Amino acid sequence: MLTRRFFDTPAWDFDVTKPFAEIERLRQRMDRLFDEWMPSTWKAGRTMGVFPLANLTEDRESYLLRAEIPGVKAEDLDIQATANSVSISGERHIPQEEENVSYHRREREGGRFSRAVALSGEIDPDRVDAKLEHGVLTLRLPKTEASKAKQISVMSTQS
């Protein structure tokens, strides 16, 4: 029976010493319900969130973008660069498990991904250099001459 307690909130009978266990159990039930009722076409279109994880640094001459893409081959990547942005898209293939297995934990996702990064200055898209090594994609994005910082000299007018 549902009863009302403090502040008119409903209360269910559960062990108050383990509130997080109850929340975790509720989350698992909702996941199962969502998986049962979600059409399979939606499941196939699920994305991997913010992937790939990337760091963007800058020096005087260029930007350097490093993205973690473990398990992705160079031929599965599509890299596009414009004057003010770069995008990385591709597909990660994860081998399918046997049919009669049950997962204890499933964190590795396969499928298509896309990530776009806006730049604060202009780059020369024709001179972008890309290297994939040990699951890390490194893009060197050379700045245009117009976007490079210029040293300004100050003249003194003191007598």
Side-chain angles (χ1 to χ4, degrees), residues 67-136:
E68 295 179 353
I69 52 172
V72 178
K73 297 177 183 171
E75 58 267 16
D76 292 331
L77 288 173
D78 179 30
I79 302 167
Q80 303 284 324
T82 65
N84 295 80
S85 69
V86 63
S87 67
I88 303 166
S89 59
E91 187 165 5
R92 180 163 57 179
H93 302 282
I94 303 291
Q96 293 294 322
E97 299 296 331
E98 294 179 21
E99 198 157 312
N100 294 327
V101 300
S102 59
Y103 282 92
H104 291 270
R105 180 173 301 270
R106 185 173 182 171
E107 296 175 352
R108 297 177 59 230
E109 291 289 335
R112 296 212 43 84
F113 62 86
S114 182
R115 180 82 191 266
V117 178
L119 305 169
S120 59
E122 288 192 9
I123 62 167
D124 183 355
D126 295 327
R127 294 180 28 227
V128 171
D129 180 46
K131 180 174 65 169
L132 180 62
E133 191 171 49
H134 302 295
V136 177

